[in-house]
Amino acid sequence: MKKKSPANDWTRSGARPVSYVLMNNTTDMQSVSRTRHKSAQISAISQNATGQCAQAAARGPRPAGERRAGLEAGPLGTNAKLRATFENPMARRVERFALQSVARDILPDSRTAKCLRIRAYDKDVEVWKSKEHGTASYGGLQTCGSVWTCPICAAKIAERRRLEIQDAMAQHRAQGGEVHLLTLTTPHTRFDVLEALLERQSKALQAFLRDKSVKKVFKEMGHQGQIRAWEGTHGRKATNNGWHPHFHFLQFVLVKGDAAQLMDWKTRLYLRWDAYCQKAGLGSPSFAHGIDLQDGQQASNYVSKWGLEDEMTKAHIKKGKVGGETPFDLLRAVLADKEDKQAFALFAEFARCFKGKRQLSWSNGLKARFNQVEKEDQELAAEIEDSAELLGQILPDQWRDVLKVKARATNLKITTSAGWPAVQKFLTFIVGLMTTVIQHT
């Protein structure tokens, strides 16, 4: 007798979730087309322009005994292990450019595909260097401002948001308050369709926050407001339990509950969360995994780690415990293996389902309470660091050459290692490469 499949959305509609269809990574992916097949000539230019030869040419003669300052790395497209611990902030930035290029292949028609490639208002491209961190960045380019699909914008926005949150927490504690960390999650399997899962979670959350019993618990806490963060991971390499979207709340409260009080609040909140999850068709979350309520120390730990890496770093920490992959981990998987069709399709699914959603949401009046200036993600992505200095400008023709040889990150790396004169030599070097190829075509 045949086993019945779980009665989820895809069994009724005929549409199967990406996580189920591709669980063995063997499904034909003709419907997910890879874009812009590069010619062998441009490929050869890229290898020369981003490898050791170009860096040596840009740097010029090396003084005797001088260290190579990290310029020995191979081409971006072949460095598959960039997920490892980095020695400096610039190495993380180089990885983000590589991951953004992967996202561009997956989402060719998105704003992320154009991010930091197209000039803004026909300006020359600016190269800036941070006095505080020693890293280099671009100005005068369009940015997408996506926290979900762009590793470069996400890192910049997350760091700015982290500073905002830490400032609010410090002010609240200085006034005698405390901050709790509340986590809510729901049952999930590889048979779930992400879009439907998000819709049900949102429905359950809205009902939960409106519930009288929940409001009563919040009142006991001396609840003043909260910041909600939305995260998502995928468990294809661990328990194969599909997408795991979940919520974290930083609760600004006046009552510092002890362990017994926190457990009492957690239990009462769980009963209502469980009821609304079932009502929304999500099933019953367990007490062990469906809810968590932790004290101020854990809230501080969460925020201190958030924003320092490419996405919400809390999710990156969880990877070590349960094997979950963040969306940017899926990009890393494609960067390491172009044939990882499952990671390719899962990231595309994630981008489609989370488009337009807010990663961080402050309750009404909370930002004004702590004198926080309201800024959109797009504004933060386009900002230049206060302590940065302008080193020089890249002309339109030169920038086209940089794009042709895929040297955006290489250019910044040379800037931090050897300064603006080396960048100018590098720009001349790649013009020579382009001329050589044209003469031989």
Side-chain angles (χ1 to χ4, degrees):
M1 192 175 199
K2 280 190 176 179
K3 251 187 178 178
K4 285 188 179 180
S5 296
N8 285 290
D9 286 355
W10 61 267
T11 59
R12 290 192 286 268
S13 66
R16 296 195 171 198
V18 172
S19 53
Y20 176 77
V21 176
L22 297 179
M23 67 175 69
N24 292 319
N25 200 16
T26 56
T27 301
D28 183 5
M29 289 294 295
Q30 291 177 354
S31 60
V32 186
S33 61
R34 292 179 181 270
T35 58
R36 298 178 298 281
H37 294 290
K38 307 297 189 296
S39 69
Q41 290 170 336
I42 294 299
S43 217
I45 294 174
S46 176
Q47 292 289 337
N48 288 332
T50 60
Q52 299 174 14
C53 296
Q55 293 161 8
R59 184 182 175 94
R62 184 186 311 280
E66 182 178 340
R67 296 183 63 184
R68 300 184 71 85
L71 289 179
E72 294 287 329
L76 284 179
T78 61
N79 196 343
K81 301 210 178 198
L82 286 170
R83 185 67 180 89
T85 302
F86 298 107
E87 294 180 1
N88 58 68
M90 196 61 221
R92 287 196 297 269
R93 192 160 296 186
V94 168
E95 186 211 23
R96 290 173 193 143
F97 273 95
L99 296 180
Q100 190 199 56
S101 294
V102 176
R104 182 174 185 246
D105 287 339
I106 299 173
L107 309 170
D109 299 321
S110 67
R111 285 174 56 86
T112 299
K114 303 174 180 64
C115 182
L116 292 175
R117 302 181 70 87
I118 300 175
R119 292 181 297 125
Y121 312 112
D122 293 326
K123 296 168 66 176
D124 288 339
V125 178
E126 302 164 342
V127 178
W128 295 78
K129 186 172 182 179
S130 167
K131 294 179 181 178
E132 181 180 353
H133 304 293
T135 55
S137 60
Y138 291 117
L141 293 171
Q142 294 181 22
T143 54
C144 67
S146 174
V147 294
W148 301 120
T149 61
C150 181
I152 299 173
C153 287
K156 190 172 183 178
I157 293 165
E159 176 61 15
R160 304 303 197 269
R161 297 299 187 203
R162 181 178 70 88
L163 296 176
E164 290 177 355
I165 295 171
Q166 285 185 324
D167 180 61
M169 290 174 67
Q171 289 187 54
H172 185 60
R173 284 172 170 160
Q175 297 165 9
E178 184 54 280
V179 182
H180 292 159
L181 177 63
L182 172 67
T183 301
L184 297 175
T185 188
T186 62
H188 52 96
T189 73
R190 65 174 181 268
F191 303 105
D192 290 317
V193 176
L194 179 58
E195 186 175 12
L197 183 60
L198 295 178
E199 184 179 339
R200 289 171 179 166
Q201 281 190 337
S202 295
K203 184 178 178 181
L205 181 63
Q206 289 170 17
F208 172 79
L209 294 175
R210 288 195 300 261
D211 184 83
K212 290 181 180 178
S213 297
V214 171
K215 289 182 177 180
K216 183 179 179 181
V217 173
F218 285 1
K219 187 176 181 180
E220 292 176 14
M221 293 177 175
H223 191 273
Q224 305 296 298
Q226 62 192 18
I227 303 171
R228 188 217 69 197
W230 207 348
E231 297 182 5
T233 57
H234 196 280
R236 66 180 185 136
K237 290 188 174 180
T239 54
N240 200 17
N241 57 358
W243 287 108
H244 176 214
H246 50 283
F247 305 102
H248 292 292
F249 293 87
L250 291 169
Q251 298 182 302
F252 291 74
V253 301
L254 299 178
V255 179
K256 300 180 181 180
D258 57 20
Q261 183 66 76
L262 288 172
M263 179 56 72
D264 175 66
W265 288 333
K266 174 182 174 180
T267 303
R268 290 155 62 192
L269 291 175
Y270 166 75
L271 293 174
R272 305 314 300 146
W273 178 238
D274 175 60
Y276 289 115
C277 283
Q278 292 190 56
K279 191 174 180 179
L282 290 163
S284 177
S286 69
F287 183 70
H289 300 105
I291 189 169
D292 196 18
L293 180 62
Q294 300 188 65
D295 60 18
Q297 182 57 52
Q298 293 305 314
S300 296
N301 291 343
Y302 172 74
V303 176
S304 70
K305 297 182 177 74
W306 187 76
L308 294 178
E309 282 290 341
D310 311 287
E311 201 197 7
M312 283 190 170
T313 313
K314 182 69 176 179
H316 288 239
I317 293 171
K318 290 177 183 174
K319 178 178 178 180
K321 295 180 179 178
V322 296
E325 289 178 289
T326 68
F328 292 163
D329 284 332
L330 294 173
L331 290 182
R332 291 184 181 97
V334 178
L335 180 63
D337 179 9
K338 297 297 182 185
E339 297 305 312
D340 192 340
K341 298 174 183 178
Q342 186 183 42
F344 189 103
L346 286 172
F347 184 81
E349 181 188 22
F350 172 85
R352 175 176 55 81
C353 293
F354 274 84
K355 183 179 180 180
K357 294 183 176 3
R358 294 186 71 88
Q359 187 185 44
L360 275 184
S361 180
W362 295 56
S363 56
N364 291 336
L366 191 61
K367 275 201 169 183
R369 181 189 182 96
F370 299 115
N371 300 311
Q372 295 281 352
V373 178
E374 195 72 50
K375 286 189 177 182
E376 294 297 322
D377 289 344
Q378 179 65 55
E379 292 179 74
L380 295 178
E383 280 184 353
I384 300 295
E385 190 178 310
D386 290 340
S387 63
E389 61 175 332
L390 179 63
L391 298 184
Q393 294 178 313
I394 300 176
L395 300 177
D397 287 344
Q398 294 174 317
W399 182 245
R400 280 193 287 272
D401 292 337
V402 170
L403 293 178
K404 284 176 183 176
V405 299
K406 306 176 191 176
R408 292 181 304 161
T410 301
N411 198 47
L412 293 182
K413 195 171 180 182
I414 292 172
T415 301
T416 59
S417 301
W420 183 248
V423 172
Q424 293 175 307
K425 290 181 182 179
F426 177 69
L427 294 174
T428 302
F429 174 74
I430 60 177
V431 169
L433 276 178
M434 296 298 297
T435 303
T436 301
V437 169
I438 291 171
Q439 289 175 349
H440 288 82
T441 56

